[in-house]
Amino acid sequence: MTETSRDAKRARTAQRILEAARQEFATHGFDGATIRGIAGAAGIDPSLVMQHYGSKAALFTAAVQLPGDNADSAAEHLLEVLTNRLRELPPETSALVRSMLTVPEAADTMRTYLDERVDNLTRSLEGDDAHLRALITVSGILGLTITQHFLKLRAFDDASHEELLHAARGWTEYLSRDS
């Protein structure tokens, strides 16, 4: 019984560290976030962060892992992804995108994630150019994410969430059909 409660306590501490790290990396990026800041946000001693994750880079890699997707159809999946990207980004996504151009671990994580998305989408499309349409779609969604949430293009100020999704519906249906 003691072992189980010790394991449960360790798991809760690791989760608090991960949540604090996601928020710190999202706010400050890899370079600006500190182990001390993460520990403070988690309410623990900084040494526990290192015990659980070993290094700032390892913690960053764990904090920015994105969940996999399961979609019934390419068009529905793309609209779901776009709907999520048009909303506020989760801290791990924000941290990953913010840091992907300056932190090799973030670039590797993002590259792996996007390659997986392209491959998954390609398998759900038909036609000789399915891979190219998947590549353009995944790249376009990343561009949308960056221009809305990080560059904050003024054009987004004049477009409602519904209008953007309506415009995207035609794009996703075109991209998901046989060429």
Side-chain angles (χ1 to χ4, degrees), residues 17-35:
I17 293 168
L18 204 54
E19 289 168 6
R22 286 179 176 142
Q23 194 59 50
E24 289 289 311
F25 288 129
T27 302
H28 304 290
F30 181 83
D31 292 331
T34 65
I35 295 297

Side-chain angles (χ1 to χ4, degrees), residues 9 14 38 46 50 52 61 63 66 73 80 87 97 105 119-120 130 134 142 144 151 155 162 164 167 170 174 178:
K9 184 178 178 183
I38 292 166
M50 301 309 284
H52 280 271
T61 299
L66 300 169
S73 75
E80 181 181 323
R87 293 187 180 121
V97 174
E105 294 86 358
D119 291 344
N120 287 340
L142 177 60
L144 176 77
L151 295 176
E162 292 74 24
L164 290 167
Y174 173 76
D178 189 7

